[in-house]
Amino acid sequence: MEDIRNFCFIAHVDHGKSSLSSRILEITGNMGRENQIAALQTAKGEDDNNSFNTDNGQSQEASSKISKQREQISLLYDTLLHVIDTLSVEQERGITVKASTASLLYPHPSAVGEEGVLLLNMIDTPGHVDFGREVARSLSFVQGAILLLDATQGIQAQTWTVHERAKSMENPPELILAMTKIDLEAARPIDVALTVSEWLNHDDPDSIIPTSARSRIGIVELLDAVCTRVPPPKPLADDDGSIMRAQVVDSWYDERGVNCIVQILSGKLEEGDRLSIVAADSTDKQRQSYSIQEVGLVLPKSIRTSILQRGQMGYVRFGLKDPRQADPGTILIDSKNEGKEVIIPNRQNMDSTKSVLYASVHPEEEDGFEDLCEAVERLALNDKGLEVSKTADMGSNSSESGGPFLGPGLRVGFQGLLHVEVFRQRLTDEFGIDAVVTPPKVPYHLTFLPTKSNNITEPYTEVIEDLAEWPAYGTKFKVEEPMVGVRIMAPVEYTGAVMEVITKKRGLNLESTPLDEDTWIFEAQMPWAEVVVNFHDMLKNVTAGYGSLDTFEGNPSLMEAKLSKVDIQLNGESVGPLSFVSHTPNAQSEARIVCKKLQEVLPRQQFVVVIQAKADGKIIASERIRAYRKDVLTKSGKMVGGGDISRKKKLLEKQKKGKQRAQKGGKVTLSQAAFNSVISR
Ligand code: GTP
């Protein structure tokens, strides 16, 4: 345990985590001794040219450290390559590992073991707010976190959030502050360092490590900080080494079944032994036991080692078929010691985050429902923020049921709009499934009050996530909608425009503060439903792309509002999945936009398509799509019936009747573009 360091990266989206972790892999990774030494050499060479860091009087000491490291790496790789050679053919099977988790061997003076090598377990995390759950999950497995900032942008909206998340952990990780992209001309490392130390209560701006993944600057310094400042994981209080306990860090499903990345908390995990699963929320004493089939390290290529020791992170396969049994945070224990108490630090962070948006997902292919179900189930194993709440055989009245328009679908809860997009993309990229996702909805709280004309004796509240349950026009009820806190950072010149967008989207309690000379922070409470619809795009538009947005828990979490459900009808028939809720004063203008957009994106038919929007008992907007005009009077360029007038009339009459029939029973196919019309109103 002493020679182990568990750490992760946290940062605002696109601030360069993945690029920097790739560089770390390049230096420490499993890619051959020569390359590694070359990378290390380049890294050091570039560092010496970096004026931000040269006058600290460490360069001589640092370079003797580097040459010692080179020697150690060389020795290490002799050993490691030997291991790889002997294992490669039959043992290093193609196992798909999420690149986000890797173990690295790194020679360092702070190692206490004879080899002088530290095992670094590195967990990458996504930066976007929608994946906050993943960030919290990663933080719960580490003792150190590198908070990374883009040296051209400094603190951005999600920098706050991830920083606060790290600070609020039960056992907060050691925070290492670093900035990256300092190779860019627009980099302002000194300004960024000063702002960061002021706003994130970080005492010493000089200790923020400047790096560049592109120019390989500061990588060694960063690794050095991890090795010296991040403490090794603490052994479990009751650990005497005799009981194997491991925690699932990640899991995924492939053709060979469920694979888990685990962190060994005590004892050792060895092929041939048996283990049992202790689910995060289970008190079940009747646990099934499994034989451990394959165990190895992820360096970051998988290397079968047959055994994992305390503190190591690696993969394990034990014949598990049901992916849902291997959620991150799940504890594995050796079967002979089952029932021994398991004390896991930072356990509270494994709680599932409630979905904030719900949508239904339908296959584009008419008979693709089964394939879709299977793909979504597999995706849900990889993406813990997804909530697949119903494997729908939904009634045709439901807005989740496409009814005659979309066919059967799945109901899925998401963490935000980007999450929805990523989900759709992954269905296509990883499973070859094109899916239609209906516009996501927030859950509304409706309270029904007793009146003279209804049978209600006491007020009661219902939460509806499906607009088909919205009460009929004329019913008396009060609506509360979910609220969310938004934090926006934008350059000072866009202050007016940002405030206008927040107000337009019904933002409340707006506060603005200068962060530094160039940037302002805006905070407000907003209805979730408004943030979902187009808000991010509007913000990017009015700030020329410079505004960044993050969300936090709303206060209050619910707010009463005057809202109307807008039904969209095609040729008089309500299309549940296209309905939406608007703030009543905006219902008509939004309905007009949606009808207009639908007119543009719905395919033309043999018959006229009338698009109407209806709210509070009235039609409030309407558009028409003209029919294709089929020329029934000519055939192969010649006039049918030789120009006979009565024959012409007959043909036109026949065509008119045919169109009326088609219009009545006509089906309009709904594409993703149709649903996007509702999202971007
Ligand atoms: P998410 O995982 O999506 O949050 O992104 P990330 O934080 O992992 O950022 P990523 O590494 O994908 O980098 C974002 C962009 O910045 C990419 O276009 C990179 O090429 C660029 N980038 C990353 N590091 C550097 C750097 O050191 N210098 C320069 N010039 N560009 C960089």
Side-chain angles (χ1 to χ4, degrees), residues 12-19 125-128 180-181 183-184 212-214:
H12 182 77
V13 62
D14 276 352
H15 270 202
K17 295 181 305 294
S18 305
S19 306
T125 58
H128 196 276
T180 190
K181 308 194 195 180
D183 59 289
L184 290 173
S212 159
R214 182 158 300 171

Side-chain angles (χ1 to χ4, degrees), residues 25-309:
L25 286 177
E26 186 183 276
I27 289 183
T28 60
N30 178 7
M31 49 170 224
R33 182 179 40 188
E34 294 311 319
N35 285 351
Q36 192 198 27
I37 292 169
L40 197 59
Q41 231 156 5
T42 324
K44 189 55 210 153
E46 297 276 359
D47 278 349
D48 287 343
N49 295 332
N50 167 22
S51 59
F52 189 76
N53 205 29
T54 43
D55 55 354
N56 57 10
Q58 289 179 357
S59 47
Q60 257 208 333
E61 197 188 312
S63 73
S64 81
K65 193 171 74 194
I66 293 294
S67 53
K68 200 163 165 214
Q69 276 178 342
R70 252 180 256 154
E71 225 171 87
Q72 286 165 328
I73 290 169
S74 183
L75 275 172
L76 168 71
Y77 269 78
D78 279 341
T79 325
L80 189 63
L81 289 174
H82 172 71
V83 178
I84 296 169
D85 282 348
T86 51
L87 291 166
S88 57
V89 187
E90 76 286 10
Q91 293 172 336
E92 192 197 311
R93 290 200 221 128
I95 132 173
T96 351
V97 172
K98 276 175 137 184
S100 53
T101 310
S103 297
L104 324 160
L105 292 165
Y106 190 62
H108 194 267
S110 61
V112 292
E114 260 175 40
E115 302 86 11
V117 172
L118 291 178
L119 175 68
L120 310 181
N121 295 321
M122 178 170 78
I123 300 174
D124 193 9
T125 58
H128 196 276
V129 53
D130 290 1
F131 303 105
R133 188 177 190 276
E134 296 269 317
V135 177
R137 178 162 75 85
S138 304
L139 283 168
S140 69
F141 298 121
V142 296
Q143 289 72 44
I146 299 174
L147 176 63
L148 196 61
L149 292 116
D150 183 323
T152 66
Q153 294 185 354
I155 298 181
Q156 292 291 301
Q158 285 135 39
T159 318
W160 286 102
T161 314
V162 291
H163 179 255
E164 275 167 27
R165 249 182 221 278
K167 286 280 180 198
S168 65
M169 301 287 289
E170 191 182 64
N171 297 310
E174 170 72 23
L175 263 190
I176 296 171
L177 271 69
M179 68 184 98
T180 190
K181 308 194 195 180
I182 62 157
D183 59 289
L184 290 173
E185 218 165 284
R188 352 173 236 114
I190 294 172
D191 287 351
V192 169
L194 290 173
T195 314
V196 166
S197 65
E198 184 187 338
W199 283 86
L200 302 185
N201 288 331
H202 184 76
D203 296 337
D204 180 10
D206 285 335
S207 67
I208 302 173
I209 302 167
T211 73
S212 159
R214 182 158 300 171
S215 310
R216 296 190 175 91
I217 297 171
I219 319 290
V220 172
E221 279 69 12
L222 197 58
L223 280 169
D224 196 41
V226 169
C227 298
T228 49
R229 287 174 47 195
V230 176
K234 277 204 190 98
L236 293 179
D238 59 352
D239 183 22
D240 61 2
S242 64
I243 310 172
M244 188 292 291
R245 282 172 293 198
Q247 161 160 246
V248 177
V249 173
D250 205 348
S251 54
W252 72 100
Y253 188 88
D254 63 20
E255 63 284 354
R256 298 163 70 202
V258 177
N259 301 271
C260 300
I261 297 276
V262 292
Q263 205 174 37
I264 312 298
L265 302 167
S266 70
K268 56 184 190 307
L269 182 76
E270 201 165 359
E271 286 177 10
D273 286 355
R274 295 191 76 80
L275 62 75
S276 304
I277 298 175
V278 186
D281 52 0
S282 153
T283 47
D284 185 8
K285 295 276 176 248
Q286 298 287 312
R287 295 183 191 122
Q288 198 180 334
S289 104
Y290 300 85
S291 166
I292 302 169
Q293 297 167 349
E294 190 178 321
V295 170
L297 287 168
V298 183
L299 286 171
K301 242 179 167 182
S302 59
I303 298 187
R304 187 173 181 174
T305 54
S306 303
I307 189 165
L308 283 177
Q309 306 277 3

Side-chain angles (χ1 to χ4, degrees), residues 136 173 286 355 599 626:
Q286 298 287 312
S355 302
Q599 185 196 35
R626 286 187 323 183

Side-chain angles (χ1 to χ4, degrees), residues 368-410:
F369 186 57
E370 270 181 30
D371 289 346
L372 175 78
C373 292
E374 201 186 318
V376 171
E377 189 174 342
R378 286 190 188 188
L379 266 188
L381 174 67
N382 255 281
D383 180 349
K384 303 300 167 193
L386 278 182
E387 188 191 331
V388 186
S389 52
K390 240 193 254 175
T391 46
D393 174 24
M394 291 171 270
S396 61
N397 279 337
S398 159
S399 71
E400 266 68 40
S401 157
F405 297 98
L406 290 172
L410 288 175

Side-chain angles (χ1 to χ4, degrees), residues 321-581:
K321 292 279 173 277
D322 181 0
R324 285 162 302 194
Q325 285 185 276
D327 272 354
T330 303
I331 299 296
L332 309 178
I333 187 163
D334 60 53
S335 298
K336 54 184 186 299
N337 282 303
E338 205 187 293
K340 294 264 166 75
E341 201 191 344
V342 185
I343 310 144
I344 307 298
N346 278 338
R347 189 78 173 154
Q348 88 282 11
N349 295 292
M350 303 307 297
D351 291 350
S352 65
T353 312
K354 185 103 186 72
S355 302
V356 295
L357 298 174
Y358 295 87
S360 77
V361 182
H362 304 262
E364 255 181 22
E365 302 269 322
E366 230 171 84
D367 54 357
F369 186 57
E370 270 181 30
D371 289 346
L372 175 78
C373 292
E374 201 186 318
V376 171
E377 189 174 342
R378 286 190 188 188
L379 266 188
L381 174 67
N382 255 281
D383 180 349
K384 303 300 167 193
L386 278 182
E387 188 191 331
V388 186
S389 52
K390 240 193 254 175
T391 46
D393 174 24
M394 291 171 270
S396 61
N397 279 337
S398 159
S399 71
E400 266 68 40
S401 157
F405 297 98
L406 290 172
L410 288 175
R411 206 172 133 61
V412 182
F414 297 94
Q415 303 293 311
L417 263 193
L418 181 84
H419 193 201
V420 181
E421 280 168 39
V422 169
F423 168 82
R424 262 194 79 209
Q425 192 64 43
R426 288 188 65 191
L427 276 179
T428 312
D429 294 351
E430 296 172 30
F431 300 93
I433 291 178
D434 288 323
V436 173
V437 181
T438 63
K441 312 270 166 34
V442 299
Y444 292 99
H445 292 235
L446 310 186
T447 303
F448 298 87
L449 302 164
T451 64
K452 280 185 197 141
S453 55
N454 65 24
N455 304 329
I456 302 170
T457 49
E458 276 191 18
Y460 70 95
T461 302
E462 255 178 26
V463 181
I464 64 160
E465 289 155 5
D466 178 350
L467 292 191
E469 291 160 22
W470 194 272
Y473 175 58
T475 315
K476 290 266 176 285
F477 62 98
K478 165 183 112 169
V479 193
E480 288 169 296
E481 59 181 340
M483 300 292 286
V484 67
V486 295
R487 183 180 299 117
I488 293 165
M489 309 243 168
V492 61
E493 59 265 40
Y494 302 112
T495 302
V498 171
M499 288 169 124
E500 204 179 309
V501 174
I502 295 176
T503 316
K504 188 163 180 233
K505 290 292 208 169
R506 299 194 284 134
L508 300 169
N509 309 336
L510 173 59
E511 280 178 20
S512 53
T513 333
L515 176 74
D516 55 27
E517 274 179 11
D518 308 311
T519 315
W520 277 62
I521 315 174
F522 306 85
E523 287 192 359
Q525 297 293 320
M526 294 187 60
W528 244 122
E530 296 286 355
V531 177
V532 167
V533 178
N534 223 7
F535 182 63
H536 201 194
D537 286 348
M538 280 169 91
L539 184 69
K540 286 276 171 202
N541 280 343
V542 301
T543 60
Y546 288 113
S548 71
L549 164 74
D550 203 356
T551 54
F552 53 94
E553 207 170 307
N555 181 20
S557 58
L558 286 174
M559 178 82 94
E560 190 173 343
K562 206 165 161 27
L563 302 175
S564 299
K565 178 189 172 194
V566 180
D567 261 321
I568 297 292
Q569 302 181 340
L570 297 182
N571 288 342
E573 191 176 346
S574 275
V575 185
L578 287 177
S579 61
F580 58 93
V581 170

